[in-house]
Amino acid sequence: MSFLLGYDIGSSSIKAALLDASSGRCLATATGSDEELRIRVPKPGFAEQDPEMWWEEVVKATSRLQQQHPFDATAVKGIGIAYQMHGLVCVDEKLAVLRPSIIWCDSRAVQTGDEAAKQLGSDYTLPHLLNSPGNFTASKLRWVQQHEPEVYAKIRHIMLPGDFIAMRLTGVPATTLSGLSEGIFWDFAAGKVSDKLLQLYGIDPSLLSPIVPTFGEQGRVTKQAAALLGLKEGTPVTYRAGDQPNNAFSLNVLQPGEAATTAGTSGVVYAVGSEPAYDAESRVNTFIHVNNTAEEKRNGVLMCLNGTGILNSWLRQVSGGIPYDKMNGLAEQAPPGAEGLRVFPFGNGAERILANRLPGASVQGLDFGIHSQGHLLRAGQEGIVFALAYGMDIMREMGLSFKRVRAGKANMFLSPLFREAFANTTGAEIELYNTDGAQGAARGAGVGAGVFSSFKEAFRGMDLLEAIAPDARVQSAYQEAYADWKIKLQQILSNR
């Protein structure tokens, strides 16, 4: 028997998955810790994590995986890595971490990116970067340069979170084309790193790590890493991708017209296209997809909502810590539309779909004589769905369509109410599969290691669990509530 190992480096948890390469079946999954990982907030709008904490969690998750399903380490044919996107990790010449990682939901570089967009002009940023520089990795590095020059002076390599974990495994700093695009370092029109952006920011291009293929050997596990993980020295790392391109890959979303969604800490809809596309306001963003080649271009258009599962977690806390299934049951007691109660889930950093504004979360329409705990819980889930639908409307303006959207049956999609609200608000059928990011990373490792001869073969063992289509009996109620939510959202934004 041969195995494939996948890691998902999230901001809430680090997950590992073990796949049987012959059947494609997941044999076991494990997280490093039972509690959510800590996010440091040294100032309002800041969000940081210690990269070494991620590595410690990888070690713990691998140990737990071995306890759950003991496996022969010599039979692991490849390791894949999925990771939280847009983070910045800075290391010195000895590959030691210089400061905490500035992670995806950190808003400190919004002004930096806005200023760069004005200086570069939309005639350059949109056709070349397919995005505004925004609050992405390049802008975060510029922020470090401006505000922590003593740290910047020591940087030898900058990398994304997954690049850091791969470096801890292999001892070799590296990144991918997809990773460079998600950091807004890539010039799509020129087909190379953006000299113009680097020059504007005064960033030395030698700080960028060397490029390795998304699928293929990226390095081999060192003796030191093997000893910590209980793996064989020399095991190849053969895949890495940001969490949302990887989520799409894990759901076999690879071709134009296909779309994936996820609703964990953040909520994302990710659609694949073959043409370079952009939103004039960069409210949604375009990156290189995992299966992009010179012959067949594949880009992923991504909309992100920061406050998704984190809102549901907050509602759970203020509800006395009741189980999520009980929360869902209470929410289902209220009718679609929650009798006019509206929740706006924008309380987790600047929102790209709102042009990097930070209006904060809010509740509107509360009536003490009508609304109960169930109404609030339903309105919370509906508010998340409405915000995702708002982003999907922007994507439709770019020419994308959503007849069918695939998701793993996890996180918010475990809620029947959430699934119903999503299908009936967006008009898209939802297909739910038995997969997650860590399993996707393991399947990607199998492609990169040559264990699977094709993408089709990589998805053996993945099953369709459920399909939810729009229901004419309730669809109008959801769409009326969504229309009202959009009107109130514009009122909120106009007052900011």
Side-chain angles (χ1 to χ4, degrees), residues 303 305 345-346 353 382-392 482 485:
M303 68 125 302
L305 170 66
F346 306 119
I353 58 171
E382 290 182 350
I384 294 166
V385 167
F386 295 161
L388 292 172
Y390 184 84
M392 291 171 69
Y482 174 47
W485 183 94

Side-chain angles (χ1 to χ4, degrees), residues 149-232:
E150 71 288 351
V151 172
Y152 186 84
K154 297 176 183 177
I155 297 174
R156 178 62 189 90
H157 295 283
I158 67 102
M159 55 193 71
L160 300 160
D163 299 335
F164 174 78
I165 295 301
M167 184 196 74
R168 291 296 264 118
L169 284 164
T170 67
V172 180
T175 193
T176 62
L177 289 182
S178 180
L180 288 172
S181 75
E182 76 177 71
I184 316 301
F185 291 108
W186 191 252
D187 185 327
F188 284 79
K192 63 186 183 71
V193 169
S194 172
D195 296 330
K196 196 167 184 177
L197 179 66
L198 294 186
Q199 289 168 6
L200 176 66
Y201 278 168
I203 294 171
D204 184 343
S206 70
L207 299 184
L208 302 180
S209 300
I211 299 171
V212 294
T214 298
F215 298 95
E217 187 169 320
Q218 303 174 352
R220 290 181 173 263
V221 174
T222 64
K223 180 178 181 180
Q224 295 84 353
L228 287 169
L229 294 164
L231 298 177
K232 179 187 175 184

Side-chain angles (χ1 to χ4, degrees), residues 178-296:
S178 180
L180 288 172
S181 75
E182 76 177 71
I184 316 301
F185 291 108
W186 191 252
D187 185 327
F188 284 79
K192 63 186 183 71
V193 169
S194 172
D195 296 330
K196 196 167 184 177
L197 179 66
L198 294 186
Q199 289 168 6
L200 176 66
Y201 278 168
I203 294 171
D204 184 343
S206 70
L207 299 184
L208 302 180
S209 300
I211 299 171
V212 294
T214 298
F215 298 95
E217 187 169 320
Q218 303 174 352
R220 290 181 173 263
V221 174
T222 64
K223 180 178 181 180
Q224 295 84 353
L228 287 169
L229 294 164
L231 298 177
K232 179 187 175 184
E233 179 184 356
T235 303
V237 175
T238 54
Y239 170 81
R240 84 183 73 171
D243 52 8
Q244 299 312 324
N246 175 72
N247 181 63
F249 170 74
S250 73
L251 291 159
N252 195 14
V253 170
L254 297 169
Q255 302 306 326
E258 297 177 342
T261 184
T262 182
T265 303
S266 64
V268 166
V269 178
Y270 184 100
V272 178
S274 58
E275 301 298 325
Y278 54 82
D279 171 54
E281 298 178 58
S282 286
R283 294 168 296 172
V284 300
N285 305 103
T286 302
F287 308 113
I288 295 173
H289 195 32
V290 295
N291 62 328
N292 179 74
T293 65
E295 296 76 26
E296 292 188 332

